[in-house]
Amino acid sequence: MTAQTKTVLPHRNLTKSNAQFRRAVKRLPLGVSSTFRYWGDDRTVYVDHGKGGRIWDIDGNGYIDHRLAYGPTILGYADDRVDAAARRGMEVGGVFALSTERELVVADRIAKMVPAAELVRFSNSGTEAVMAALRLARAHTGREQYLLVEGGYHGLFDAAMWMADVEDWKPGSNDDPEMVPYGKGIPPTVKQLAHLVPMNDMQRLEDTFKRHGDKLAAMLIEPIQGNCCAIMARVEYVRLARDLCDRHGVMLIIDEVKSGFRVGKGGIQGLMGVVPDITTFAKAVGNGYPIALVAGREEVMRSFGHGGASHGGTYTAHSVSLAAAEECLRILDETPALETLAGHGRALMAGISRILDARGIVHSYSGHPSMFGLFFDAVPPDNYRAWKTSDYTFYDTMAGYLHDLGIIVEPDSREPWFMCEAHGLDASCLSETLAAVERAVDLTVEELAAQDRAGAK
Ligand code: PMP
């Protein structure tokens, strides 16, 4: 993710955030608790509070937030219904190294919403859930290797931290992008077990299974790439993956950490009608309270247990998160919340298109209205390599202006725009966002034209 260093528009004052940064960086690496929260020494924002679809920073600047904590905020920040439930959870007393009755209540709700979730185990984060899913697949199949899709992201554990190095890859070249670790500290030996395929390339998928299928424990896929422009897998691609996994005895793991309980009640797997062996959900499960889950086919899930795959954790099924999840999932299941937020996304996409079309700026969208990628090319990308060929400079520049104008989006075009129910219920949210987008687009056009003129001199 690129750190922004551009001049701040006059109306946004970040004096207190800047001072906080200078203090924090002495104690916290980069002054933050997650590297992606660092947006440059003079642009790192410290939040005072959030409510609904908005956040306020410590300088008092208000923002409409389309990052939504990378997705968990499905209803809105500080949702009264979920927070009241979390308070009831607090009265239970924390964690006990024993189980509570509510685990079954929430698991029953999940099984009702997600047909693949015959059995459920709770985790605290997406990383933990996917790590458990891969271990389960390995335990169940007795194999070690696994297949990843370019542009996918599955969390911060070593096995998942391999990616296609598209940034250093030449579009149109006959070579595949190199498989590289996300950062330092990831042992290269782990790479020997991983394989990587480009999304939506049916032939490559078949070839890979032909060569390695009998050694693979799992194929991991995000059918909507929540960390990569919300690139969509084609339904035929996911069906082929299902079929190849069946033929080769490989566990299909659909990672719905971002898409789950967001794009539909049953996730992207429900919309595509593909049933994985194992699936992972996190973010939207508890509207931001830390809870995740690994779920799947009964026969596979029974491999968790004595003599099988290890799973547990001190904080799993914490009473507060579990109570929040019970209420959040009830709302998502029983009310039109998901339609409300998708409707807001559709209106926003239409509005952005009106602005861009009026200026002749070619663009397209990928993903789903509840989490969409805005892409500056005529057709949306169907794999990660296509992102490289689009004009992401325009996006990155525009994102910086949007922050100054009170709209929070990720400063990197690979992160989708997220919607929450509160956006759809907030009467002025749409018009405010579109007014800011219009201004940001014009400022971007001006800035890039000025850069071109300077370059031509
Ligand atoms: N899988 C996917 C698809 C994700 O988007 C993420 C987080 N962005 C993870 C796994 C890891 O989740 P967490 O950050 O909760 O560990």
Side-chain angles (χ1 to χ4, degrees):
M1 319 263 155
T2 14
Q4 301 285 319
T5 49
K6 204 158 38 68
T7 331
V8 177
L9 283 179
H11 87 278
R12 188 165 69 134
N13 180 351
L14 289 177
T15 310
K16 288 187 180 163
S17 272
N18 290 344
Q20 177 66 21
F21 173 78
R22 288 192 295 274
R23 283 191 297 271
V25 78
K26 294 187 185 140
R27 185 70 67 202
L28 304 163
L30 290 176
V32 293
S33 296
S34 164
T35 300
F36 303 123
R37 298 178 192 172
Y38 170 76
W39 287 0
D41 292 10
D42 57 349
R43 291 182 71 86
T44 295
V45 171
Y46 291 86
V47 173
D48 180 70
H49 71 285
K51 183 72 187 166
R54 296 172 188 258
I55 58 175
W56 286 264
D57 67 23
I58 58 174
D59 285 285
N61 301 302
Y63 306 87
I64 293 169
D65 188 6
H66 284 292
R67 238 163 126 250
L68 295 177
Y70 290 135
T73 314
I74 190 76
L75 300 172
Y77 291 111
D79 182 89
D80 293 337
R81 301 159 294 182
V82 177
D83 286 356
R87 271 184 216 105
R88 290 194 293 277
M90 215 172 280
E91 281 157 24
V92 176
V95 279
F96 310 100
L98 288 169
S99 294
T100 62
E101 289 177 310
R102 194 171 266 136
E103 289 162 40
L104 177 57
V105 176
V106 180
D108 279 345
R109 172 77 71 180
I110 291 161
K112 172 176 175 262
M113 295 170 82
V114 183
E118 291 176 1
L119 266 64
V120 176
R121 268 288 174 102
F122 292 102
S123 282
N124 300 295
S125 68
T127 297
E128 272 187 44
V130 184
M131 198 160 55
L134 181 57
R135 179 173 302 141
L136 180 67
R138 285 167 156 168
H140 191 73
T141 59
R143 303 171 183 176
E144 289 186 351
Q145 300 188 17
Y146 55 99
L147 182 60
L148 303 166
V149 179
E150 289 177 13
Y153 175 74
H154 300 288
L156 285 162
F157 63 108
D158 287 353
M161 298 230 74
W162 294 92
M163 63 172 183
D165 184 12
V166 165
E167 307 218 18
D168 291 326
W169 170 83
K170 253 212 198 99
S173 91
N174 286 329
D175 298 328
D176 287 329
E178 204 190 331
M179 183 164 32
V180 293
Y182 274 80
K184 292 188 177 163
I186 300 161
T189 42
V190 178
K191 182 179 174 180
Q192 292 159 15
L193 300 175
H195 302 271
L196 200 54
V197 283
M199 178 82 107
N200 286 325
D201 187 332
M202 315 273 277
Q203 192 58 53
R204 286 292 294 275
L205 191 61
E206 295 215 33
D207 292 348
T208 304
F209 268 86
K210 219 174 270 165
R211 290 216 311 279
H212 306 289
D214 59 344
K215 296 185 283 299
L216 293 177
M219 172 174 178
L220 283 105
I221 184 167
E222 275 179 280
I224 293 190
Q225 295 193 310
N227 304 273
C228 190
C229 314
I231 290 172
M232 291 280 283
R234 283 197 287 276
V235 177
E236 314 85 81
Y237 185 79
V238 187
R239 291 213 178 114
L240 176 65
R242 174 67 282 173
D243 184 45
L244 289 166
C245 284
D246 285 342
R247 279 196 262 149
H248 292 268
V250 178
M251 298 292 101
L252 179 65
I253 302 175
I254 295 193
D255 182 355
E256 299 244 27
V257 163
K258 267 193 176 160
S259 53
F261 304 123
R262 167 168 288 282
V263 301
K265 288 183 191 178
I268 186 64
Q269 56 192 272
L271 298 184
M272 290 188 166
V274 179
V275 181
D277 301 291
I278 306 172
T279 188
T280 50
F281 287 67
K283 317 238 182 204
V285 174
N287 195 44
Y289 286 90
I291 186 161
L293 57 104
V294 50
R297 199 146 54 78
E298 170 164 6
E299 183 215 350
V300 180
M301 289 291 289
R302 295 275 177 219
S303 294
F304 279 136
H306 293 298
S310 300
H311 176 264
T314 306
Y315 298 109
T316 47
H318 190 285
S319 304
V320 173
S321 296
L322 201 60
E326 180 183 13
E327 178 61 1
C328 181
L329 293 176
R330 184 198 66 74
I331 294 166
L332 298 179
D333 193 22
E334 295 178 6
T335 77
L338 288 178
E339 283 110 80
T340 303
L341 67 97
H344 185 77
R346 269 189 295 275
L348 187 53
M349 289 156 83
I352 295 172
S353 284
R354 276 194 300 277
I355 292 163
L356 294 172
D357 287 343
R359 288 154 180 80
I361 299 172
V362 174
H363 66 283
S364 54
Y365 298 99
S366 44
H368 183 271
S370 63
M371 52 180 284
F372 65 78
L374 169 58
F375 193 64
F376 289 97
D377 208 342
V379 281
D382 76 344
N383 69 52
Y384 184 27
R385 299 178 191 193
W387 166 79
K388 175 82 179 185
T389 62
S390 76
D391 185 2
Y392 51 88
T393 332
F394 191 95
Y395 184 95
D396 294 354
T397 309
M398 183 181 87
Y401 283 120
L402 282 172
H403 299 165
D404 290 335
L405 292 161
I407 309 293
I408 293 279
V409 295
E410 186 69 21
D412 180 317
S413 62
R414 282 166 286 193
E415 184 72 16
W417 291 38
F418 288 97
M419 309 299 130
C420 66
E421 185 194 29
H423 285 145
L425 301 175
D426 178 338
S428 58
C429 182
L430 184 64
S431 55
E432 279 180 50
T433 309
L434 290 176
V437 168
E438 184 154 27
R439 178 118 166 80
V441 166
D442 287 337
L443 287 162
T444 302
V445 170
E446 270 170 43
E447 181 178 325
L448 295 181
Q451 280 176 16
D452 280 353
R453 282 194 300 275
K457 272 186 197 158

